[in-house]
Amino acid sequence: MTKLKIKTGDTVKVIAGDHKGSEGKVQKVLIDKNKAIVEGVNMVKKHTKPSAQNPQGGIVEKEAAIHISNLSLLTSNGETTRVGYRMEGDKKVRFSVKSNEVI
């Protein structure tokens, strides 16, 4: 299994696909599928049956997973970058390949 460099809570930008250019915060990472759920990106309509939690039923909009390869991390100054790992002392830290700053 490969190591995913995008983590929950990161701000990312979609770099490929239908939602190219959209930005959002990662809500969840699905490690086994190499996908992530990004807030406000890749919204789908799901038809739900009436239940105890939702007695009305109907159509609900929710975020669908998007492949990790279509996402790029946004740095603090708003530019996209790749993520690298390096050792600083005894700690392994993530850093921006473009600006060399620790994330």
Side-chain angles (χ1 to χ4, degrees), residues 25-90:
K25 197 169 206 166
V26 176
Q27 292 180 333
K28 188 175 182 179
V29 177
L30 308 171
I31 297 169
D32 53 334
K33 295 182 179 179
N34 285 345
K35 293 187 176 196
I37 297 175
V38 182
E39 189 176 312
V41 177
N42 202 15
M43 300 294 285
V44 295
K45 293 182 188 280
K46 181 171 172 62
H47 296 261
T48 57
K49 287 175 75 173
S51 65
Q53 288 180 335
N54 187 8
Q56 185 67 29
I59 301 170
V60 178
E61 277 202 41
K62 61 181 263 184
E63 291 99 356
I66 188 166
H67 202 271
I68 293 286
S69 66
N70 295 339
L71 301 175
S72 182
L73 189 73
L74 283 175
T75 58
S76 55
N77 59 2
E79 63 180 8
T80 60
T81 183
R82 288 179 293 137
V83 179
Y85 284 93
R86 68 175 173 223
M87 297 298 289
E88 286 190 1
D90 293 339

